[in-house]
Amino acid sequence: SEWLSVAPVADVCAALAELCACYDDWISARETEVGTLPTTLPGTAHRHMDECRNALKRMRGGIELLEKDGPEMIAFRLANRALWQQNEWKRKRDARASSLVWRPFQMAFVLLCMASTGDRDHPDRRVMDLLWFPTGGGKTEAYLLLTAYTIFLRRQQGGQETEGVTVLMRYTLRLLTAQQFQRAAAMI
C-alpha cells in the first residue's frame, strides 16, 4: 500500500497490468474448461466468462485512468497512503498486526470501480458491484480504499460534487456497525 502511494506512475501501472494479465490467464483457463461441462451448463458458463471479461475490461479501464497521471492517480496515491497510515497506527498499538498488503480481489475491485466513480455519465454507474463472502476476507479494506479514492477524487474535481455526502455505508449487525465506523473514522 505504501509503495502504491510513492512509486513512479509507470511502475504502479505495470504492477496493476500484471494483475490484469494474471486474471486474463485465469479466465482463459476457465474458458477451456467450458467444453468439459455437462450439456446443460455451457450456456451459463459462457455468460459467466463474458462477465469475467467485462470485469477485466473495466479493471484495465481503471489502469488507463491512472496512466494519465492526473487527478485519478493523485486520488489513488492518497487513498493508498491513507489506508497505509491507518494500518501503521494499528501496528503501533498491536505488535501482532501485519503490514498492509493488498489482496488481488481488493485491487481488482477498486480498479473496476474507478471509471464510474469519477464520471457521473459513465454507463457503469448503473452497475452495483458487490463483494460478498464470509467475515475476515478483506472486504472492508477494499471498500475503505474505494471510499478514500472517491473522497480524494471528488475534492479534486471541485464544484458541487465536493459538497454533501460522498459515500454511504450500511451494516446490518450492530457490532459490525460500531467496528466499521471506527475503521472508517480512522481512514478519514
Side-chain angles (χ1 to χ4, degrees):
S1 180
E2 181 185 24
W3 180 81
L4 291 169
S5 70
V6 296
V9 172
D11 292 350
V12 169
C13 292
L16 297 172
E18 181 63 28
L19 170 67
C20 289
C22 290
Y23 186 43
D24 193 3
D25 291 344
W26 181 88
I27 295 168
S28 295
R30 302 299 73 78
E31 286 172 334
T32 61
E33 296 171 355
V34 171
T36 65
L37 296 172
T39 58
T40 59
L41 299 177
T44 301
H46 286 297
R47 191 173 69 249
H48 287 295
M49 293 297 94
D50 289 345
E51 290 173 11
C52 288
R53 290 275 173 211
N54 184 50
L56 178 60
K57 179 182 173 188
R58 291 175 62 202
M59 289 166 58
R60 287 182 169 146
I63 296 170
E64 289 173 13
L65 288 174
L66 296 177
E67 287 173 334
K68 295 176 184 177
D69 198 13
E72 293 84 2
M73 179 55 93
I74 293 168
F76 183 74
R77 288 185 184 282
L78 291 171
N80 274 282
R81 188 66 177 197
L83 272 288
W84 173 80
Q85 185 66 59
Q86 175 193 13
N87 192 69
E88 288 303 300
W89 292 334
K90 179 180 169 184
R91 290 182 60 195
K92 285 180 182 176
R93 290 187 317 270
D94 182 358
R96 296 170 296 171
S98 60
S99 297
L100 179 61
V101 177
W102 295 118
R103 296 177 182 147
F105 85 87
Q106 293 167 319
M107 195 52 58
F109 176 72
V110 172
L111 287 173
L112 71 86
C113 293
M114 279 184 159
S116 62
T117 297
D119 180 358
R120 290 181 81 75
D121 298 322
H122 196 280
D124 287 341
R125 289 289 279 229
R126 295 182 302 244
V127 175
M128 182 178 82
D129 294 298
L130 175 68
L131 295 176
W132 185 70
F133 50 86
T135 301
K139 297 179 299 293
T140 298
E141 289 80 7
Y143 287 131
L144 288 176
L145 181 60
L146 184 59
T147 297
Y149 172 80
T150 304
I151 291 168
F152 284 123
L153 185 61
R154 295 246 174 112
R155 295 311 179 267
Q156 290 180 81
Q157 290 172 335
Q160 291 181 339
E161 289 295 314
T162 64
E163 300 172 6
V165 176
T166 302
V167 175
L168 292 174
M169 296 173 69
R170 181 175 183 265
Y171 297 91
T172 56
L173 300 172
R174 286 185 190 193
L175 178 61
L176 282 178
T177 300
Q179 290 171 343
Q180 303 308 350
F181 174 77
Q182 290 170 342
R183 292 170 81 179
M187 182 270 302
I188 295 294

